[in-house]
Amino acid sequence: MRLSRRVAGGGLLLAMIVAMTACGGDDGGGGGTASKEVEVFTWWADGGEKAGLDGLVSTFATDCGQFTFVNGAVAGGAGSNAKQVLASRLTQADPPDTFQAHAGAELVDYINAGQVEDLSAQYQEWGLTNAFPAGLIQNITVDGKIYSVPANIHRANVLWSNKAVVAGAGITKDATSLDAFFADLDKLKAKGVTPLAMGKDWTQLMLFEVVLISDLGADKFTGLWNGTTDWAGADVAKAIADFKKLLTYTNADRDTFDWTDAEKLIMDGKAGYQLMGDWEAADLDAKGFKDYAFSVFPGNTGTFQWLADSFVLPKGAKNPDGTKCWLKTVGSAAGQKAFNTKKGSIPARTDANTSDYPAYQQAAIADWKNLKQAPSCAHGSACSQGWQGALNSAMGKFSGDGDAAALQSALVAAAGQFAKK
Ligand code: GAL
């Protein structure tokens, strides 16, 4: 973990940098020695996530040789630690040169707080305006201004499995309904393995969201986040009951596990299934584990639950020219290829060559085009950070006490507090 960075420049130095970059006049070529470093803040510290970041860094080294990448990664899945560190740095007016933010409601939080700069001019200059799907552009735009450069599209509603463990329990085909899935989980239980590997709060929120998609369908699920579906409904109560039953098939120590700890149960042959985003494909590949399979979560057929990582130019960044060069790399065809072939995600750009990608992403590229899209709260496309925090806490509490009525009340209260009126 790296919390303090370069020596503070001071007013005179800052004035010099501003003068030098103004003279440089290009989109990333200026800067003197003091402004060479570009601190990139992510939570991509290990495995497939780090491999993806390394891909971007190598393109950055080629395209932006005048700048030096500084790794500001803070480990912890889904930014569970990084987001707190970032929030405190932003409050103290000590932003990194760039940070990752999910497209959608999470990014809007930063925009509304005035913490990120408008990049509309860069979109024009770099020809990005038509490079990304219109729906995605809408998710990073507020009042006609575009505030981030998307690096990818990830899929959240994917079920991963250890092939040998699943076959050993006599399971021969992928379940397509929750009922069929419960029957498969029983077969794994009878074999003495953990049927469903599980981690802490945000991973439980992911599982709960896909159960909601199964029970409500994609449209009503999406309505939970835009105020058109009632969290107090009987269908949400049914989803809570299904989710509660699913938790009985998970490892008892789930609340102490990050997603990679649960993934290790799969790799070690101690568990059959895990619900996780498609960064798991990259991570299993990076760790050399080959005997895995993937399918859409039972009952989610036809729905692509999406999220997108994007990078921003924070207000007050110390090296804005260096940041712009990073952002230009992130948005470039070469950068997206170097990143996404290693990250398990698909390129946000629409002009990518599918054959450049591993088998999992080839399937995901087709699904992204053809399936209905639903957002993710656990990964910021559906809900604000406050709402996400409230739901993560509610999940953690439910994992301990199993009180279904209390969980539904907490869900209703969170929507009342955080949904846009
Ligand atoms: C998500 C992020 C992904 C991946 C995942 C697990 O929030 O968008 O890129 O890093 O967390 O850490």
Side-chain angles (χ1 to χ4, degrees):
M1 190 185 293
R2 188 172 167 286
L3 298 182
S4 68
R5 299 130 313 106
R6 67 188 78 88
V7 180
L12 177 61
L13 187 55
L14 186 67
M16 284 167 63
I17 293 167
V18 169
M20 289 166 82
T21 53
C23 293
D26 65 27
D27 58 35
T33 47
S35 62
K36 271 180 72 70
E37 292 188 345
V38 181
E39 189 202 4
V40 177
F41 187 96
T42 70
W43 53 85
W44 298 331
D46 301 296
E49 299 186 309
K50 169 90 169 31
L53 180 61
D54 288 347
L56 262 182
V57 173
S58 68
T59 311
F60 179 69
T62 308
D63 294 354
C64 305
Q66 69 275 40
F67 296 112
T68 308
F69 167 83
V70 173
N71 193 350
V74 175
S80 42
N81 304 317
K83 282 186 183 171
Q84 290 169 33
V85 174
L86 178 64
S88 101
R89 286 186 56 178
L90 294 179
T91 308
Q92 292 162 28
D94 176 33
D97 293 302
T98 184
F99 61 85
Q100 75 180 102
H102 289 121
E106 179 181 308
L107 179 71
V108 173
D109 282 345
Y110 295 116
I111 298 170
N112 289 343
Q115 291 166 327
V116 291
E117 299 279 7
D118 172 17
L119 295 169
S120 307
Q122 283 67 41
Y123 265 68
Q124 292 295 332
E125 187 184 336
W126 303 337
L128 290 184
T129 312
N130 297 317
F132 303 114
L136 183 57
I137 292 280
Q138 204 184 321
N139 278 289
I140 55 176
T141 303
V142 167
D143 292 337
K145 295 175 180 166
I146 308 182
Y147 288 87
S148 74
V149 178
N152 64 358
I153 306 287
H154 264 306
R155 186 173 187 179
N157 57 342
V158 188
L159 189 66
W160 305 91
S161 62
N162 178 313
K163 273 191 192 170
V165 171
V166 165
I171 298 165
T172 51
K173 63 176 175 31
D174 297 332
T176 55
S177 69
L178 281 179
D179 284 345
F181 190 43
F182 284 130
D184 289 346
L185 295 174
D186 280 329
K187 289 180 192 163
L188 287 160
K189 196 173 186 177
K191 283 282 171 187
V193 293
T194 299
L196 184 60
M198 189 80 246
K200 64 182 176 181
D201 51 18
W202 66 268
T203 71
Q204 295 165 19
L205 179 57
M206 286 186 76
L207 181 65
F208 180 52
E209 289 190 59
V210 296
V211 173
L212 284 166
I213 292 173
S214 297
D215 282 337
L216 277 68
D219 291 337
K220 280 196 87 178
F221 170 81
T222 301
L224 290 167
W225 311 107
N226 64 26
T228 58
T229 303
D230 186 3
W231 282 95
D235 42 11
V236 173
K238 158 90 167 68
I240 293 173
D242 285 334
F243 174 65
K244 183 170 177 170
K245 186 167 169 187
L246 279 176
L247 286 186
T248 66
Y249 294 97
T250 66
N251 40 300
D253 48 4
R254 58 184 175 254
D255 295 324
T256 64
F257 271 25
D258 204 334
W259 70 278
T260 41
D261 302 310
E263 176 197 48
K264 187 158 188 309
L265 294 181
I266 298 284
M267 292 169 61
D268 291 348
K270 293 180 178 160
Y273 292 107
Q274 182 187 7
L275 180 276
M276 193 37 60
D278 49 14
W279 43 90
E280 180 128 341
D283 205 56
L284 291 169
D285 291 347
K287 290 171 178 166
F289 182 75
K290 295 193 171 39
D291 196 30
Y292 70 89
F294 55 86
S295 57
V296 62
F297 185 77
N300 280 213
T301 306
T303 302
F304 190 115
Q305 193 188 21
W306 72 275
L307 58 118
D309 296 302
S310 69
F311 282 90
V312 297
L313 171 56
K315 281 228 166 90
K318 295 178 188 67
N319 184 3
D321 276 0
T323 303
K324 285 176 191 162
C325 213
W326 172 263
L327 296 176
K328 192 174 180 184
T329 300
V330 169
S332 69
Q336 300 236 324
K337 180 176 160 189
F339 177 62
N340 288 298
T341 47
K342 296 278 185 269
K343 181 69 167 67
S345 40
I346 63 173
R349 289 184 70 104
T350 53
D351 57 0
N353 194 349
T354 309
S355 60
D356 288 341
Y357 286 80
Y360 170 77
Q361 282 105 313
Q362 294 202 10
I365 288 171
D367 285 348
W368 170 243
K369 284 194 197 115
N370 299 325
L371 304 185
K372 189 180 274 279
Q373 293 167 17
S376 156
C377 178
H379 303 288
S381 48
C383 66
S384 64
Q385 296 188 61
W387 198 348
Q388 182 191 76
L391 297 197
N392 281 342
S393 307
M395 288 295 136
K397 184 167 174 297
F398 184 69
S399 179
D401 67 17
D403 185 339
L407 175 57
Q408 192 158 12
S409 300
L411 296 172
V412 171
Q417 185 177 356
F418 294 107
K420 274 205 207 102
K421 300 287 176 316

